[in-house]
Amino acid sequence: MTTSTMEQTAKSYFLHLLSSAIWGRPLKASDFEGIDKSVWNEIAAMAYQQSVSALVADKALSLPAESLPPNDITVRFIAVMEQTKQTNLKMIRLLKELQEEYLREGFPFLLLKGLANDVNYPEPLLRNPGDIDLLLYVKGDYERANEWLTQKGVEIKPGGAVHNQYKRNGISVENHSNSTYFSNWRYNRMFKPLEEAVLTKGEFAAVELDKELSIPVLPVTFNAFFLFQHLFIHFVNFGVGLRQVCDWVLFLHKHRKEIDGDEFKSLAKRFALLYPMQLFARIAVDHLGAPEFIFPFPMISNNRHADKVMHDIIENGNFGFHKPGKKRPKEKMAGMWFSYVGTLKRSIKFGSISPQHCAILPFTRIIYRLKKEF
């Protein structure tokens, strides 16, 4: 088996395992009999690169003995499942502490993405964890919370356009002043009053992370839009893995009866995200087994853009961390130039998919860097 053939074979098995995991579908054992160890190794590598290792591991280990991976890979799968579960439980315990502390100090918050998405999976503790993202939605609380944390001796670091971050118990916590941002300033100006109106209205949803922990989150329709917008801005800038796609798709599936389709489509069109959504929906249907009826907008047929996006996801992995070829140089100026060239190439590559969000990228990167430096 050539390397190319092996990778294609592994990709097919990997997607089969992942789609079965996120929809809770049983596997047909005969489909996995006699898989070569090199293929299993490639499946494990793809799962890691896409940040879905525990999901794939759990589904692979549901196979009967004759179809299981080789012993050493089985042991690795068991380890990653246990590690993922324990990390999620640790994060839930920390979130409970944070909720008590923040509310005691008068800082109510919404939980953004991350742990809030776990509950949409058949096995919530197997979703690969990231950061704890908290939106301090009351005006002035973001600044006051920074002062409070600083006075407590917490080292706060800038984390991006709309948040900062700090570590606690080895876990990254991000305080957000806004839920998200756009690279295109026009859409940022449009989004801020919309977000403010949603937050002022205060009709939040909630997720139950355990019997003692209920956390407020964004309203359902707005959240469905936010999850895709957040996914897409990462895709445009660096790339995303299938974990982010699964998060969005499973949210739509769970809340399909609660989402206001007209409002959702209006938001998608207003912010030039309908076509990108249709591309990712096509990918989810064709490669992850998602049912078409969960998407609150018209579907499109597969096309070269969908193929290009899927190829980029598989090749570059989670947040583009596994992009093949040269890595970013450690020297500061060389590293900045390397990143800028990557942005320029990505802008050109996906310009026809979303000119409103891609074409402006090289300019916004320069301006952001100048502001940061001066």
Side-chain angles (χ1 to χ4, degrees), residues 9-129:
T9 301
K11 175 185 170 183
S12 177
Y13 282 121
F14 160 70
L15 291 173
H16 189 171
L17 288 163
L18 179 58
S19 63
S20 297
I22 65 174
W23 302 115
R25 297 168 183 160
L27 297 173
K28 187 177 178 181
S30 59
D31 290 343
F32 290 84
E33 289 178 0
I35 298 179
D36 188 80
K37 183 175 181 178
S38 63
V39 173
W40 274 115
N41 275 321
E42 187 65 22
I43 291 169
M46 287 184 177
Y48 170 73
Q49 291 164 3
Q50 299 299 321
S51 199
V52 292
S53 290
L55 294 165
V56 169
D58 180 62
K59 189 52 64 171
L61 296 183
S62 72
L63 291 164
E66 63 272 16
S67 300
L68 284 172
N71 288 339
D72 58 332
I73 297 176
T74 294
V75 171
R76 281 163 50 196
F77 279 172
I78 292 171
V80 76
M81 287 170 58
E82 185 60 26
Q83 182 182 33
T84 302
K85 289 178 181 178
Q86 292 306 316
T87 301
N88 272 309
L89 289 171
K90 181 180 179 181
M91 291 180 72
I92 290 170
R93 289 193 295 269
L94 174 56
L95 181 58
K96 191 179 298 185
E97 293 176 14
L98 292 172
Q99 185 184 47
E100 292 172 357
E101 293 175 15
Y102 276 54
L103 290 181
R104 188 166 58 243
E105 295 297 325
F107 300 127
F109 61 74
L110 303 181
L111 180 64
L112 299 175
K113 51 194 177 68
L115 286 174
N117 289 324
D118 288 12
V119 298
N120 302 321
Y121 284 74
E123 297 290 342
L125 293 180
L126 294 178
R127 177 189 175 272
N128 197 61

Side-chain angles (χ1 to χ4, degrees), residues 256-299:
R256 61 191 182 279
K257 293 181 180 179
E258 304 163 64
I259 294 171
D260 185 322
D262 291 337
E263 180 185 344
F264 185 89
K265 282 180 285 192
S266 175
L267 286 170
K269 292 177 180 177
R270 185 178 176 189
F271 291 93
L273 288 173
L274 179 58
Y275 183 58
M277 284 180 182
Q278 290 171 319
L279 293 177
F280 276 82
R282 187 74 262 158
I283 287 168
V285 170
D286 292 351
H287 299 283
L288 295 175
E292 291 193 1
F293 66 79
I294 70 172
F295 298 101
F297 47 77
M299 294 294 294

Side-chain angles (χ1 to χ4, degrees), residues 230-243:
H230 179 261
L231 173 163
F232 192 64
I233 197 166
H234 278 298
F235 171 78
V236 166
N237 280 276
F238 313 107
V240 292
L242 287 173
R243 184 191 67 171

Side-chain angles (χ1 to χ4, degrees), residues 115-167:
L115 286 174
N117 289 324
D118 288 12
V119 298
N120 302 321
Y121 284 74
E123 297 290 342
L125 293 180
L126 294 178
R127 177 189 175 272
N128 197 61
D131 305 323
I132 294 179
D133 295 85
L134 310 176
L135 174 60
L136 297 160
Y137 59 89
V138 175
K139 188 174 182 179
D141 275 6
Y142 177 73
E143 293 77 14
R144 287 191 289 270
N146 287 342
E147 294 176 6
W148 166 61
L149 289 166
T150 301
Q151 289 171 1
K152 289 177 61 177
V154 176
E155 183 182 359
I156 300 176
K157 297 181 180 179
V162 295
H163 64 80
N164 58 40
Q165 59 187 13
Y166 63 93
K167 290 279 189 178

